[in-house]
Amino acid sequence: MYEEILEDIAHNSALRETNTAVKLATGAGAILLCLLSPGFFAPLFVAVTLVLALVLLARVDIHTLLHVYTAPALFALFSIAVIVLVSGGGECFWRWQPLPWFALSLSRDGINQGVLVLARFAGGTTAIAFIALTTPMTDLFAVMKRARVPDEVTDLAMIIYRTIFVIMAHVVQVYRAQIMRLGYSTFRESVRSFATLCGAVFIASWEAGEDLVRAMEARCYDGKFAVLGRDRPPAPLSVAAVALFFLTTGALAVTTADITLI
Amino acid sequence: MGRVILEARDIWYRYPRGMEAIRGISFHIWRGEKVAVVGPNGAGKSTLLLMFNGMVKPDRGIILFDNEPIRYDRAALRELRRKVGFVMQNPDRQIISPTVFQDVAFGPVNLGYSGEEVRKAVERALAQVGLQGFERRPPHQLSGGEKKRVAIAGVLAMDPDVLILDEPTTGLDPSGSEDIMELLDELHHQGKTVIISTHDIELAYPWADRAILLTRGRILQEDVPDIAFGDPELVRMARLSMPTLLELYIELKKRGFSLPERKPKTVLDMLNVIDRAFRNRLCYTQPGRITVLDVDAPCKVSLSEWRARHPGVSLGAMGTRAKQRAAEEKITPEFTYGVIDKCILKALLGEDSMIVTTGSMAGRVRERVQEFSREFNLDIEVVMARETLE
């Protein structure tokens, strides 16, 4: 399961023990700077810096990182192509009008807009990847608790997180059992098998829910859910590094605001 | 054996809109006992065990804990569940929190322990099951055996007097099953009353002090394992099979061999039976020596150093801390279950062996070997590791 792989990478990351708030601030701050920067240099700088941090500091395998980028990159490239070809302005290099009311063109403003969006995509995605690949969900729960998110929300999130893996294992089992008995050999069969899969998973989830209540009752549930509060305090060096990263990105955003590719 | 800790008096239970699951069961469990409730699928084992911590209320009859009838109000149930811990068959259904620490801490937090008390309870429980360092791991990354240990730790963190485990070895490989049974032995040795349900008769036979044979909601037999499992007719009625060693003993007896009265529970016992029947001697050579390394001893003996000085000596690790010590020194023990018996077997072949264990269990090793030596008029030497290095 892909989600499981991401979680596993985060658990084994060399930055796992770094203070969660520092990592979250890095990712969130980077996203904000990417969005605020009017030029493409600052988001590109964010992407390069965070990729280097992921590969060199967090020791994330480069192939895994590329794999993480694949799906969003396909989506982004398609969107950027549309932006470049549809938005106009400035000098026009190429134009094609297949229909009277519809034209595709390559213009200076369109290309510059596309490059900016591409850079923001690279920076933003890397910032999200930075959080996802260095901070397991379990650490985020502790941050949620400290951030005074209502207990009901945090507890529910924790139960959902735990249950996802249990139900996912069940889905995989049922799906494999169906595949082995040629459950998806024809379209008609696929529809029927998928419906059965949904039914089986619903029943299993219901039973898992009942067992959850029993398991909680058996351990004296009284409305409290333990939270792993242990987190290393922010190391001065990491705080300084993040501050330097923000300052450099901010400075780049201001000084390169007017620079365009063409 | 102390006093009765749990008792069932004429218990009846019918599933909602279903068949009768328990039909007039009465029995008792002594404090400090190891009891196996054995029966085929659908015999009512799980339902019966769930009654002991108030998860299921009988339709008729009463359950007593510490000679007091169980009350089903919220406060009384909380207290009961603290004292009678229940480990479900499927650990995935019992582990409810996203990390090992949180899950083990669940009980203590709900019992109102302070932060420091919770931390201590979790540390103690994880040490008991040998999972230190697993605190931040999410359960889905653990193996079946590790999940089972987390589930047991979650219950141990509440420090219960009685530990009930529903099919504790289901889904585990043979080595994982042996590890869990060894852990249950260790917990029993620490003073817990342990009750398991199982249909693995080979596992229950050597482990239990007493076995309760259950079928179709009724008790067929309740006795020490060699009697409970020794009647072919009852075993057949319970849709089980007789333990191999016991069956072999009965078959030898039928053929007129003169056998010791004590029925064999282990390979060592069986060897004794065979030697008595065919050769009337147990050991044909000078018995080997058993060295005991106490991992709690203040004078720390290096396991690898000892092994380097005594090459070719078999090693057994008894108990969680002993296994951890072996792992720390990157040594794989030859035996991790039934260690004392296996080392006695080695001694009978004239070979030396070593048992790595904790302080409290070291005395048990000496007692067991001395008892065996007395019974068979042998002289198997037991020495402490530090003595052999001096």
Side-chain angles (χ1 to χ4, degrees), chain B residues 225-288:
Chain B
D226 50 345
I227 294 179
F229 302 144
D231 184 336
E233 185 57 22
L234 286 181
V235 170
R236 191 189 57 75
M237 278 169 70
R239 302 186 54 190
L240 298 166
S241 58
M242 199 181 279
T244 313
L245 291 178
L246 192 56
E247 194 173 1
L248 191 57
Y249 174 89
I250 290 169
E251 289 302 321
L252 284 171
K253 194 137 201 174
K254 275 186 197 163
R255 281 156 183 76
F257 287 103
S258 157
L259 305 178
E261 271 314 300
R262 194 158 63 90
K263 289 169 184 150
K265 278 188 170 182
T266 62
V267 172
L268 179 63
D269 293 344
M270 195 66 221
L271 189 76
N272 171 31
V273 167
I274 292 170
D275 274 312
R276 284 290 182 88
F278 296 99
R279 308 195 298 183
N280 208 26
R281 272 180 75 184
L282 198 57
C283 186
Y284 283 83
T285 176
Q286 174 65 29

Side-chain angles (χ1 to χ4, degrees), chain A residues 220-235:
Chain A
C220 308
Y221 181 60
D222 194 27
K224 293 177 203 150
F225 221 91
V227 160
L228 181 59
R230 235 174 14 143
D231 192 6
R232 290 199 175 177

Side-chain angles (χ1 to χ4, degrees), chain A residues 8 17 162 211 219 222, chain B residues 92-93 103 110 136 141:
Chain A
D8 291 347
E17 296 301 328
R162 169 75 192 118
D211 277 344
R219 289 201 274 158
D222 194 27
Chain B
D92 268 329
R93 295 285 168 93
D103 197 73
N110 280 288
R136 301 180 73 179
Q141 281 186 352

Side-chain angles (χ1 to χ4, degrees), chain A residues 20-185:
Chain A
T20 313
V22 171
K23 286 184 285 187
L24 284 179
T26 308
I31 293 172
L32 206 65
L33 283 167
C34 287
L35 290 176
L36 292 177
S37 168
F40 70 93
F41 264 107
L44 221 51
F45 174 74
V46 165
V48 172
T49 314
L50 291 185
V51 163
L52 287 175
L54 277 171
V55 175
L56 300 177
L57 298 179
R59 307 255 175 237
V60 174
D61 176 52
I62 187 81
H63 296 102
T64 312
L65 197 56
L66 288 174
H67 187 64
V68 169
Y69 277 108
T70 314
L74 285 174
F75 176 75
L77 288 176
F78 182 74
S79 312
I80 290 163
V82 172
I83 290 169
V84 171
L85 293 172
V86 171
S87 60
E91 189 183 343
C92 185
F93 304 111
W94 171 82
R95 187 179 160 81
W96 179 48
Q97 190 155 11
L99 297 167
W101 42 267
F102 180 71
L104 296 175
S105 65
L106 267 181
S107 67
R108 182 184 297 274
D109 286 0
I111 290 171
N112 283 333
Q113 183 68 20
V115 169
L116 179 62
V117 173
L118 182 67
R120 280 179 175 167
F121 154 77
T125 309
T126 314
I128 294 279
F130 180 79
I131 296 175
L133 297 176
T134 60
T135 318
M137 272 304 291
T138 48
D139 289 0
L140 294 182
F141 295 136
V143 173
M144 283 165 78
K145 205 84 168 176
R146 276 202 298 275
R148 299 189 190 282
V149 173
D151 281 354
E152 291 77 5
V153 177
T154 320
D155 293 355
L156 205 59
M158 285 195 279
I159 291 174
I160 290 169
Y161 170 80
R162 169 75 192 118
T163 316
I164 282 172
F165 294 101
V166 176
I167 292 176
M168 210 149 64
H170 190 78
V171 170
V172 172
Q173 276 174 3
V174 177
Y175 181 69
R176 282 188 185 148
Q178 289 178 326
I179 292 267
M180 279 186 267
R181 284 179 285 163
L182 311 177
Y184 294 87
S185 51

Side-chain angles (χ1 to χ4, degrees), chain A residues 193-236:
Chain A
S193 294
F194 185 72
T196 321
L197 173 76
C198 293
V201 170
F202 175 75
I203 292 167
S205 312
W206 192 276
E207 283 174 353
E210 285 185 341
D211 277 344
L212 177 79
V213 172
R214 260 185 238 130
M216 290 165 91
E217 270 182 15
R219 289 201 274 158
C220 308
Y221 181 60
D222 194 27
K224 293 177 203 150
F225 221 91
V227 160
L228 181 59
R230 235 174 14 143
D231 192 6
R232 290 199 175 177

Side-chain angles (χ1 to χ4, degrees), chain B residues 304-379:
Chain B
S304 31
E305 187 191 326
W306 195 93
R307 281 208 108 183
R309 286 200 199 180
H310 303 84
V313 173
S314 305
L315 183 93
M318 203 169 120
T320 310
R321 281 215 300 289
K323 285 173 198 160
Q324 281 167 349
R325 173 73 178 277
E328 277 166 21
E329 299 203 28
K330 298 193 170 42
I331 290 171
T332 312
E334 278 91 346
F335 322 122
T336 52
Y337 186 63
V339 174
I340 308 177
D341 278 13
K342 282 173 183 157
C343 288
I344 295 178
L345 280 171
K346 284 278 173 194
L348 293 178
L349 288 171
E351 295 174 18
D352 292 345
S353 57
M354 172 184 246
I355 299 179
V356 185
T357 188
T358 50
S360 60
M361 308 279 264
R364 200 172 135 202
V365 174
R366 203 178 278 275
E367 273 169 31
R368 170 83 178 109
V369 176
Q370 279 172 353
E371 184 191 326
F372 185 85
S373 300
R374 255 197 316 275
E375 193 177 344
F376 299 104
N377 202 21
L378 292 165
D379 185 22

Side-chain angles (χ1 to χ4, degrees), chain B residues 11 13-15 21-22 43-52 55-57 86 166 214:
Chain B
I11 296 298
Y13 181 74
R14 183 190 287 273
Y15 291 126
I22 303 290
K45 304 187 293 290
S46 304
T47 311
L48 179 66
L49 295 187
L50 281 167
M51 288 178 177
F52 282 131
M55 297 299 291
V56 172
K57 187 179 177 184
F86 191 94
D166 190 11
L214 205 70

